[in-house]
Structures are given as structure tokens and as C-alpha cells.
Amino acid sequence: MGDPLVELLSDPAIKRQYAKLPEAQRAAFEWRTKWLASAHDHQILPPGDWWTIWLLLAGRGAGKTRTAAEQVGWWAWQEPNTRWLVAAPTSADVRSTCFEGDSGLMSVIPAALIAEYNKALHELKLINGSLIKGIPASEPERFRGPQFHGAWCDELAAWDYLQEAWDQIMFGVRLGKRTRILCTTTPKPKDLIVELVGREGDDVKLTTASTYANLENLAPSFQKQILQYEGTKLGRQEIYAEIIDPEEAGIVKREMIKLWPVDKEFPKFEYILQSYDCATSEKTINDPTAASTWGVFKPQDGPMSVLLIDCWQDRLQYPDLRPKVQDEYEVVYGEGKNRKRVDLILIEDKSAGISLIQDLQRAHLPVRAYNPGGADKLQRLNIVSSLFARGRVWMPESSQRPGYVRDWAEPLLSQLCSFPDTTHDDFVDATTQALRFLRDAGFIDIDGPAPEAYDEDDYIDSGRQRRVNPYAA
């Protein structure tokens, strides 16, 4: 394809009119014309005015940064005296990728249109009065105060404080008649990414592209290297921009969970345990307090097992958490003669849990501190994973969706099956500490008695054949 501007100016009349334009307009026209002529389909701004968020999920090297720099730069030029936000994982990413990178704003916007660039403040001012301001997503509080007409969120799935930063950006993008947010990222199964994909057709326009869409513009050595990831889970994510279900790599699988029939009353519980994982602090937005209640029972056709009776999570400050725990303790579970109260409250001995344990003990509630020792979160789940594998863990079946757990139990099950790739792990902690306590306390035993514990006469009484060593003398 030839240069479209050259072809257009081959007409002498058009060429004379073009020459009369101010230098800045000629530079802008040439900039936009060349970009539209060379851009791939996934790099072109979607039509329509119904969407607010353009979510571009693309593989490595697919041209995400170039697309966003071209579009945000053009928006800033087309709309004088407007303010535009650029957010990236870190301050270094904002400067070295979004502003000064090979495909960044400084590389694509013509120098004739730039009035000033302050690399220390991450600010790019155009001659038409528009401002493009960079703020790192690693400092969510910095999004408070400034207001913008639109934003570019780069590598959204790689933000450490994703939800907190996103929420602040939503409050700050509020100027003009129509706000626009362009999100570019190689996808990961983060809650926000999944949510935005689910909003496609509402206020989100979703565009996807693989690395191969822009392969001719990538180094030959890179083209060769990516072939080794073909057919792998990492390749599906990083090359084809596929959102990988985190449950694929989970330790606990959904099929391990046994469902308690919806039309069947809860069994008689031998022991009921409430387990709490308290938030590190009230300001930690990604760490709500999580609680799970488990009942130990004996199935008619199996060994001792546990049934999830209740679970919830909430971001509660300590003054509100204590009465909540006390109210939960007063709940009676079961029906009729099988009604039973909670036997023990188990709380991890850290952070807000320390004060909570002390207060509940003074209130004469049956509370016990739990200390996981040196085991990390992954080790804790591995320790109790055999309980799931042996079918000792039950959850209530949904009345609306046979074969699935009830809606209130789904967040806990989802976290368990997605760990360690889940965004939140509070339910995981509340579950693993409960199951480990019940196992260590002898309520659930996955290992049968030692051979010497059997009485040989029991085999005769039960009709089973007596064990004989065929090699004995």
C-alpha cells in the first residue's frame, strides 16, 4: 500500500489547499492519515457512542501500547483544553512505556503539536491546551483529586491494587459530555477483568487480538521464541489473550465436593466449628474478614465428614466485627431434636484477631486461637487437600441449579478451586484452618486404624475372611 497522503496530494488543487493549512494542522493530518492506513483492524477505534470503556485484550506484541498512544493522543488533539489520564502498573511503566517508549505518546504525537513534556511530573501538554497526565496504579490514593475527560489504563491485569485504583479512576473520569476509558492488557483471570468482559455490549466494547495479528512487525527472533509456548496454558494467555480459568490449576476441584441434597434436612451434627480469618487492617481493601461454619457429622454410608453450614465475608472494622461474631455464635443450626449451637470459635492469632480473641474470652465464649506456624497459605491448603480428595467435605446443593452449590457458598468454593491464582484468599484461610483443626483434633480421620488395632475375631463376626500370611511357616 502506498502512502495515502502522497496519493491524496497528487491532485494539484488539493495540494495547494493543503499547503495553506497551518503547520500544526498539516502535522496532525499526516499523523492520523498514516496511522489509519497502517493500523490493524483491532487497533481501530470501535464505532458507536454507546460504549464508555474500550477493553482491548491482546497478546504480547499485538500493538496494544501503540493503539492506546495513538488514540489518546488523538483525543487530546481533537478536543482542545481537555485532560487525559494515563495509568500503568508502576511509575517506571508510565514513563518508560506509555510516554517515552518506542510506541509511547512522545513517539507517536508529532513534535509540532507538543508544547511541553515534564518527565518528572509525567505531564505532556499540547499546543491546543490539552494535558495528558500519568499516575502509577501502584499509588491508588494519587487518583484522588484530579479529574479527567478520559483515561488510558495500561496492563490493567498487572496492577497490584487493581480494584482500589480502578475505583478511584472511575470517580476521577467525570469531565465532558461523554467520558471514554481505553484499557489495554494481556488478560489474567482477575475479578475486574472478568467483570468487564461480562459487561460487553452494555457499556464495554471488547476487542481481542493475538500476537500473530502483528507478527510482521516483531523481531524474527521473537517470532521463533513464541512457538515454544504454543499449546501451553501460558501461551493461551500471553499469545492468544485467552482468559484462563484459574480453577484449571487449582488444588481443589469442584468434582471433589459432595453435595448435600436440597430436599434433605441437615444431619445431626456431632460438633460445630466457626472459623474466622480477620482482615489485616481496616484499610486493606483486598482483605475482608471471612467466616465459615462447619458441622461434623456421620453419613449413613461413610466415615465422619464435614458440611459447610454457613459462610460470609465483609469489610468490618473491629468495633463492628465483635458484635457480628457474637451474633453468629448465638445461631442454632439443625431442626428439631438435632438442633445444636456452635461448639468452638476458631480465630487466627494475628492482626485484628488477637484483640478479638481476648475480648471474646472475657465474654466467656468458647474461642480458641489458631496459629498456622510456619506453613504458608499454599501449604495449609495442601495439608487438608486429602479431605476433599477423599470426599469428606460436603456443601449444600442449590435449589435453583441442581448439581451446583447454593449461591451463598459459591464465593467460598470459587476461592478454594481457584487458589493460588485467585484474587482473594480469605475464605481459603477460614476453611483450611477449620479443616486442619478438625483433622488434628480427631474429628475427621482420613487414615484407617493401624493393622494391629484390628481384633482378628472381628473379621469372623463380620463374615469377612481372616487374614492369613501365605508365606508364614
Side-chain angles (χ1 to χ4, degrees), residues 216-269:
E216 69 273 12
N217 294 320
L218 305 176
S221 58
F222 176 81
Q223 297 179 26
K224 183 178 180 179
Q225 288 297 322
I226 65 169
L227 293 176
Q228 65 180 307
Y229 298 103
E230 279 290 348
T232 67
K233 188 176 79 168
L234 185 61
R236 289 162 54 196
Q237 175 179 282
E238 302 295 323
I239 299 175
Y240 293 97
E242 180 180 340
I243 299 180
I244 305 298
D245 185 351
E247 294 190 12
E248 289 187 16
I251 297 171
V252 177
K253 304 298 182 183
R254 285 181 179 264
E255 55 267 23
M256 295 179 180
I257 305 298
K258 302 190 75 171
L259 296 178
W260 188 262
V262 65
D263 56 352
K264 189 175 181 180
E265 290 186 358
F266 276 174
K268 178 182 179 181
F269 295 119

Side-chain angles (χ1 to χ4, degrees), residues 331-392:
V331 176
V332 178
Y333 298 96
E335 300 292 337
K337 63 180 181 179
N338 292 332
R339 289 165 59 86
K340 184 174 176 57
R341 294 184 60 176
V342 174
D343 292 287
L344 182 67
I345 301 172
L346 190 65
I347 301 174
E348 187 170 359
D349 192 15
K350 69 171 187 179
S351 306
I354 298 175
S355 299
L356 182 59
I357 292 169
Q358 295 171 348
D359 281 354
L360 295 179
Q361 287 175 337
R362 283 193 289 267
H364 306 294
L365 269 64
V367 60
R368 179 167 176 172
Y370 173 79
N371 188 337
D376 60 26
K377 295 175 183 289
L378 190 59
Q379 289 174 323
R380 293 180 225 172
L381 183 56
N382 274 309
I383 288 171
V384 299
S385 61
S386 56
L387 296 177
F388 294 96
R390 298 287 185 88
R392 300 293 188 87

Side-chain angles (χ1 to χ4, degrees), residues 261-420:
V262 65
D263 56 352
K264 189 175 181 180
E265 290 186 358
F266 276 174
K268 178 182 179 181
F269 295 119
E270 304 293 335
Y271 194 85
I272 295 180
L273 173 69
Q274 283 183 341
S275 176
Y276 288 87
D277 177 67
C278 298
T280 301
S281 76
E282 63 188 62
K283 295 182 179 179
T284 305
I285 192 167
N286 286 330
D287 289 328
T289 292
S292 61
T293 303
W294 301 86
V296 179
F297 71 103
K298 175 68 170 67
Q300 293 182 350
D301 57 350
M304 296 298 288
S305 302
V306 292
L307 172 64
L308 178 67
I309 308 174
D310 190 19
C311 66
W312 55 267
Q313 62 179 354
D314 198 356
R315 294 186 177 91
L316 297 175
Q317 298 181 18
Y318 179 72
D320 299 320
L321 179 58
R322 178 183 172 180
K324 174 70 173 177
V325 175
Q326 291 177 312
D327 289 343
E328 290 293 319
Y329 170 71
E330 296 296 331
V331 176
V332 178
Y333 298 96
E335 300 292 337
K337 63 180 181 179
N338 292 332
R339 289 165 59 86
K340 184 174 176 57
R341 294 184 60 176
V342 174
D343 292 287
L344 182 67
I345 301 172
L346 190 65
I347 301 174
E348 187 170 359
D349 192 15
K350 69 171 187 179
S351 306
I354 298 175
S355 299
L356 182 59
I357 292 169
Q358 295 171 348
D359 281 354
L360 295 179
Q361 287 175 337
R362 283 193 289 267
H364 306 294
L365 269 64
V367 60
R368 179 167 176 172
Y370 173 79
N371 188 337
D376 60 26
K377 295 175 183 289
L378 190 59
Q379 289 174 323
R380 293 180 225 172
L381 183 56
N382 274 309
I383 288 171
V384 299
S385 61
S386 56
L387 296 177
F388 294 96
R390 298 287 185 88
R392 300 293 188 87
V393 181
W394 294 68
M395 294 186 184
E397 184 179 21
S398 171
S399 60
Q400 303 297 322
R401 299 188 302 157
Y404 293 87
V405 299
R406 293 185 185 177
D407 289 344
W408 58 261
E410 178 58 36
L412 183 147
L413 179 58
S414 178
Q415 278 192 25
L416 278 174
C417 295
S418 300
F419 190 81

